[in-house]
């Protein structure tokens, strides 16, 4: 995965966190920089940590799955992206809650980033190649940092968007993120077969 693909992946993965951040902003009576940063750090931190955990888990058995690695990456990304697209059409309203307490933010951060662990598995199958002179491990770490920073920034923006616009863009963000993940999965599979 090159830099452009990683940036697209980072934005797509951050859409769940962005949507929840919008809900947080909607529920907050007063938005402060501290609240925006708190939400951003929780979501960004976990969004960067989870793919790294997935990478470490998959790396231990990457030799066994090398021949089907493109298919694994494709299936995981299409499943995650498809689920995001499905959720974007859901009529269920999320409960508004402006709490930033440890337990609640921990649960939300894990819930919005669990799919990133599956994406981390794809990093063992389709190596991250952000810098040519770095090892695959360091490239993966850099990719995870890129995902964390992207999610942090978008989540902070999501709190502000929520306070201004409400939930108007929540479903559109999830839809866009899901479509991008599906397209990245298709791109990986096409590259595997030499079409791209």
């Amino acid at each position: 995965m090159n830099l452009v693909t990683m940036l697209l992946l980072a934005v797509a993965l951050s859409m769940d966190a962005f949507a929840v951040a919008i809900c947080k902003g909607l529920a907050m009576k007063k938005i402060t920089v501290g609240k925006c940063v708190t939400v951003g750090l929780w979501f960004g931190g976990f969004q960067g940590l989870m793919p790294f955990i997935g990478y470490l888990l998959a790396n231990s058995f990457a030799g066994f799955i090398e021949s089907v690695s493109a298919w694994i990456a494709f299936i995981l990304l299409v499943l995650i992206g498809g689920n995001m697209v499905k959720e974007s059409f859901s009529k269920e309203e999320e409960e508004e809650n402006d709490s930033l307490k440890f337990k609640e933010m921990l649960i939300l951060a894990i819930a919005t980033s669990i799919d990133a662990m599956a994406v981390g598995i794809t990093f063992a199958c389709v190596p991250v190649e952000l810098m040519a002179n770095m090892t695959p491990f360091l490239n993966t770490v850099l990719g995870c940092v890129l995902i964390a920073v992207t999610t942090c920034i978008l989540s902070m923006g999501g709190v502000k968007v929520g306070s201004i616009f409400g939930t108007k863009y929540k479903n559109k963000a999830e839809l866009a993120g899901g479509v991008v993940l599906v397209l990245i999965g298709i791109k990986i599979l096409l590259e595997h077969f030499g079409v791209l």
Side-chain angles (χ1 to χ4, degrees):
M1 287 188 201
N2 60 23
L3 180 60
V4 173
T5 304
M6 277 302 299
L7 281 170
L8 287 171
L9 185 66
V11 170
L13 282 175
S14 68
M15 288 300 107
D16 276 349
F18 179 72
V20 174
I22 288 174
C23 293
K24 281 287 180 195
L26 180 65
M28 289 179 187
K29 290 168 182 55
K30 183 180 180 195
I31 304 294
T32 64
V33 172
K35 288 179 180 179
C36 291
V37 170
T38 299
V39 171
L41 289 176
W42 270 106
F43 291 157
F46 273 82
Q47 203 74 359
L49 178 65
M50 290 299 205
F52 184 68
I53 292 170
Y55 169 77
L56 291 178
L57 291 173
N59 216 23
S60 60
F61 60 88
F64 300 113
I65 60 173
E66 196 170 309
S67 62
V68 292
S69 62
W71 283 102
I72 291 171
F74 168 74
I75 290 167
L76 287 173
L77 290 172
V78 168
L79 286 174
I80 295 164
N83 189 51
M84 285 177 72
V85 169
K86 185 183 92 175
E87 286 177 6
S88 75
F89 292 106
S90 173
K91 300 294 182 201
E92 288 182 32
E93 292 295 320
E94 292 185 27
E95 186 180 322
E96 292 177 16
N97 182 347
D98 70 344
S99 172
L100 297 178
K101 292 181 180 170
F102 177 85
K103 184 179 177 184
E104 182 175 333
M105 290 306 296
L106 178 65
I107 292 168
L108 285 174
I110 291 171
T112 58
S113 64
I114 201 74
D115 55 350
M117 186 182 293
V119 171
I121 293 170
T122 69
F123 294 167
C125 304
V126 182
V128 177
E129 297 172 355
L130 299 178
M131 302 195 80
N133 58 348
M134 289 175 66
T135 66
F137 177 80
L138 290 177
N139 267 306
T140 300
V141 169
L142 187 58
C144 292
V145 168
L146 181 65
I147 291 169
V149 170
T150 302
T151 303
C152 181
I153 291 168
L154 288 174
S155 296
M156 289 189 300
V159 173
K160 188 66 176 168
V161 167
S163 71
I164 296 170
F165 297 108
T167 57
K168 183 177 179 181
Y169 298 108
K170 176 185 167 292
N171 289 353
K172 290 180 177 95
E174 280 187 320
L175 176 63
V179 168
V180 169
L181 287 179
V182 170
L183 291 174
I184 290 172
I186 292 169
K187 177 183 178 280
I188 288 169
L189 198 58
L190 292 175
E191 285 175 346
H192 175 73
F193 288 111
V195 177
L196 292 178

